[in-house]
Amino acid sequence: MLDVKVVLATDDPKKILNLINHDKNSQYLFILDIELASNDITGIELAEKIRILLPFTDIVFLTSHEELAMLTLERRISPLNYILKNKESNFIESSLRKDIRLTLNRITKVNKINNDQFAYKIRNRYYTIPLNEIYFFESVPNKVNRVILHAKNRLLEISSNLKQIEEDQSIFFRCHKSYSIHVNNVKYYDPNLFKVYFDDDKQSFCPVAVRKVRQLKKVLRHDKS
């Protein structure tokens, strides 16, 4: 018995993209027909769009044309598997079960890593940094979905936003409209200057909004209790 469920079965690519856009935090396995019955988009083109939205998700292709596998390589889709429709039904079912198990194992490993790591993208490459090295994130003025990551011995501008970071990692707290801090890494809060510091030399710090002071104190007390 596999601990999975079908959340959407459709021949409409727009419904698949809408599902992703409404919930990018869920883990998916997409089983796509390369010869998608749509006048607007092919299965390969849909997979490309999925890759942009969910770079690490697993995709399995069903196809009657084995030669189309090369096209997916050219498009850099990197599917988990290709399953030929002309195979026996028992073979297709067995292949799908194996793919589902592989995906479940990957998700389990990723979730363990995500508890300790923060993943980010620069150009077309993905990197990770231990969460316990991050001090805070700062939104970049006049730039949408751009933040500066302040960490131990590291300063990076990356594509993201404070709201998404806080949804993905509950350890971050919005102490100011432009700053979200790792509460476990706060060394000291100065109530006179309305600043939090992250190192003993007080070289790394960020401001705290007056309206956030009471909530911040509660969060810090809870963290140290």
Side-chain angles (χ1 to χ4, degrees), residues 3 24-28 56 103-119 131 168-169:
D3 186 18
K24 291 183 181 179
N25 293 324
S26 291
Q27 302 283 357
Y28 301 103
F56 301 113
T103 298
L104 288 173
N105 289 336
R106 178 191 63 79
I107 290 171
T108 299
K109 291 178 181 178
V110 167
N111 286 340
K112 288 181 179 178
I113 293 174
N114 284 346
N115 288 332
D116 302 315
Q117 302 283 328
F118 177 81
L131 276 174
D168 293 342
Q169 301 287 347

Side-chain angles (χ1 to χ4, degrees), residues 1-5 27-29 58 80 97-111:
M1 187 71 175
L2 297 171
D3 186 18
V4 295
K5 67 177 180 179
Q27 302 283 357
Y28 301 103
L29 166 63
D58 285 330
L80 177 65
R97 286 183 175 274
K98 289 178 182 178
D99 293 337
I100 292 171
R101 288 193 181 95
L102 284 171
T103 298
L104 288 173
N105 289 336
R106 178 191 63 79
I107 290 171
T108 299
K109 291 178 181 178
V110 167
N111 286 340

Side-chain angles (χ1 to χ4, degrees), residues 11-27:
D11 61 359
D12 185 347
K14 293 180 181 178
K15 290 183 179 180
I16 295 174
L17 297 175
N18 286 339
L19 171 70
I20 298 171
N21 284 320
H22 280 90
D23 188 4
K24 291 183 181 179
N25 293 324
S26 291
Q27 302 283 357

Side-chain angles (χ1 to χ4, degrees), residues 121-136:
K121 179 181 178 182
I122 296 180
R123 296 185 178 88
N124 293 320
R125 296 189 63 182
Y126 288 85
Y127 305 85
T128 60
I129 178 175
L131 276 174
N132 60 13
E133 292 186 7
I134 299 175
Y135 294 154
F136 61 95

Side-chain angles (χ1 to χ4, degrees), residues 22 35 55 63 71 85 92 97 104-105 116 121 126 137 141 147 150 156 161 164 186-187 192 194 218-219 222:
H22 280 90
E35 302 89 40
T63 180
L71 185 57
K85 295 180 187 177
I92 294 175
R97 286 183 175 274
L104 288 173
N105 289 336
D116 302 315
K121 179 181 178 182
Y126 288 85
F137 291 94
V147 298
H150 295 257
L156 300 167
N161 61 74
Q164 186 63 56
V186 173
K187 290 281 187 179
N192 297 314
F194 296 101
K218 287 182 179 179
V219 171
H222 180 270

Side-chain angles (χ1 to χ4, degrees), residues 63 66 83-92 95:
T63 180
E66 190 171 2
I83 300 176
L84 297 177
K85 295 180 187 177
N86 57 9
K87 296 288 186 179
E88 294 182 358
S89 59
N90 287 341
F91 174 84
I92 294 175
S95 296

